[in-house]
Amino acid sequence: MPHTPDAFEDDGIDRVPAPKPVHYAEQALLGALLLEPARLADIKQLSADHFESHTHAALFTAIRTLPAPDPADHAKDTAWLNTVLDVARPHAPGLNASYLHALIQFCPRAAHAAAYARMIRADHARRLLRSHAERLGLTASDPGLPDPAATVLVLADDFSRLLDTLAGEFTPHPGSLPRTAVPAPAARQAGEEELDEEQLLLASATASPQDVQQMRWLTTDDFVLPLHAGIWQSITALVHRGDMVDPVTVLGEAQHRGLITEALTPKDLMALVSTPAGSPEHWGEQILRRALLARAQTVATRITAYTDDLSNTPHQLITGSRRALADLNTLRTRYRRATAPATTPAAHPPARAAPLPRAAGPPPLTAPAAPRAHR
């Protein structure tokens, strides 16, 4: 007979997600420590911050704080367990004696406490990397920050230092690259402000081609609109060849590059590069800044995908995150080159010592002889 769902049957809407593997590692470790408190000596690198569960962290803190009981006495009574419960309960009110005994029963082998601790530390590293990636992505997309690019670069430096620290805690192994399928970068939205900046750059560069020679830090990948990137290539090609640059010559170069179509007539292209305002460097920096923020969001998405894949080991997460940040650092190098203050000569060069006065004639070949004394 077909199954008829009951009116009160669980439909899965409010179903609690299944616990992650680290949940069972935490239970097994705490059970091992409650059974054999001396096992604390095997997990000195573990701290309460490494636990995902607040209740488990409070219980671990209580175990570590209290002196270990005498093994013989601990095997006969529950006095030490009661004390642990009393110390932990103010920080985790849901704790009770039955849960402590359940943890002891759940632990497969107390002698494996160090292995359980490694699993906990590994998952903590995963969560730590994910939180840093989320913060990086949110900062890069926050329009309310006064200087989001500077903040993003500071966070990237913090991220690199975190990776260096974690690299010293986990042993490398073969197959260090994640095999996670990373989502394709989100297409950048060509907003009105972005398009205006790119158009003003093209027009200003056509009017001031002498400034374009110093703008090698800007590439076609930094543009939102591919058409604008192609026109920028046309302008820079003329500049680097030493050819004359004006709207007509830019039109000729764009024609050779296949940019003239029914959607972009010669008149349209010439109008686009004929209304300069400001300097090319200014608009180039704006475009590069937006590209930097977009790259930071892509890197954050990539690292988050790595951390969401539970099959990745800590070493794979570290290696993959470093590769992702390297993509951001490549753009950071160009951004710093673009925004570096120009060096100016000193206003007052250091004074030089005055030259000694020259003699009126050539010096004598030999020194004059001293007069003889008369007797």
Side-chain angles (χ1 to χ4, degrees):
M1 295 180 61
H3 172 67
T4 303
D6 185 82
F8 300 99
E9 185 176 330
D10 180 17
D11 57 5
I13 296 178
D14 299 325
R15 187 177 301 161
V16 178
K20 297 179 181 178
V22 69
H23 174 77
Y24 301 102
E26 291 181 3
Q27 287 186 328
L29 174 66
L30 292 174
L33 297 179
L34 292 172
L35 185 62
E36 299 181 15
R39 295 292 176 183
L40 271 174
D42 301 335
I43 55 171
K44 293 181 180 179
Q45 291 183 317
L46 192 69
S47 67
D49 295 336
H50 292 148
F51 285 78
E52 183 182 38
S53 167
H54 171 75
T55 299
H56 291 168
L59 187 56
F60 178 77
T61 300
I63 295 173
R64 191 175 57 178
T65 302
L66 294 172
D70 179 81
D73 295 337
H74 185 55
K76 293 185 296 184
D77 57 49
T78 62
W80 186 78
L81 295 179
N82 295 334
T83 305
V84 169
L85 182 61
D86 293 339
V87 173
R89 187 176 288 169
H91 306 284
L95 272 176
N96 53 45
S98 62
Y99 187 65
L100 267 62
H101 289 284
L103 291 175
I104 295 176
Q105 295 297 323
F106 183 82
C107 176
R109 293 193 180 183
H112 295 173
Y116 307 146
R118 284 194 295 270
M119 293 177 62
I120 296 171
R121 290 175 50 236
D123 195 77
H124 174 257
R126 181 190 311 277
R127 299 194 308 273
L128 204 57
L129 292 175
R130 194 182 200 285
S131 66
H132 275 67
E134 289 178 344
R135 186 181 178 191
L136 180 66
L138 291 174
T139 302
S141 59
D142 186 356
L145 293 176
D147 191 354
T151 307
V152 161
L153 294 181
V154 170
L155 292 179
D157 289 336
D158 294 341
F159 211 147
S160 296
R161 285 190 289 269
L162 171 64
L163 292 172
D164 291 340
T165 300
L166 293 177
E169 298 179 3
F170 297 95
T171 305
H173 56 78
S176 57
L177 287 177
R179 295 179 175 85
T180 306
V182 179
R188 294 176 60 186
Q189 299 298 322
E192 183 177 351
E193 187 175 1
E194 289 85 351
L195 295 180
D196 287 344
E197 290 174 352
E198 293 184 358
Q199 291 176 5
L200 288 170
L201 166 69
L202 299 175
S204 301
T206 302
S208 304
Q210 68 277 4
D211 297 333
V212 176
Q213 191 70 35
Q214 310 301 325
M215 295 177 61
R216 296 180 182 271
W217 38 262
L218 189 66
T219 68
T220 55
D221 292 336
D222 302 328
F223 287 77
V224 177
L225 196 65
L227 173 62
H228 291 166
I231 299 175
W232 174 250
Q233 277 186 320
S234 301
I235 297 173
T236 55
L238 292 172
V239 170
H240 296 327
R241 290 200 306 260
D243 293 345
M244 292 174 285
V245 181
D246 61 34
V248 176
T249 59
V250 172
L251 172 63
E253 185 68 24
Q255 176 185 357
H256 296 318
R257 294 176 179 269
L259 300 180
I260 304 302
T261 62
E262 293 182 359
L264 181 70
T265 66
K267 184 178 180 181
D268 294 335
L269 189 144
M270 292 179 62
L272 191 149
V273 298
S274 298
T275 53
S279 67
E281 293 92 339
H282 170 75
W283 301 118
E285 289 179 14
Q286 294 296 104
I287 294 170
L288 188 57
R289 182 178 293 108
R290 294 184 186 279
L292 176 70
L293 297 177
R295 181 72 58 84
Q297 294 182 55
T298 300
V299 168
T301 302
R302 181 175 167 185
I303 296 177
T304 300
Y306 290 154
T307 59
D308 288 345
D309 186 353
L310 297 183
S311 67
N312 287 323
T313 65
H315 185 65
Q316 287 176 319
L317 293 177
I318 294 168
T319 304
S321 298
R322 279 179 165 170
R323 291 284 186 94
L325 284 177
D327 293 341
L328 178 60
N329 289 333
T330 300
L331 207 155
R332 174 219 292 262
T333 302
R334 294 194 286 116
Y335 180 74
R336 285 183 170 173
R337 191 185 310 161
T339 57
T343 56
T344 57
H348 301 286
R352 299 177 60 182
L356 296 175
R358 298 182 60 182
L365 297 178
T366 58
R372 292 185 178 183
H374 298 279
R375 292 184 179 179

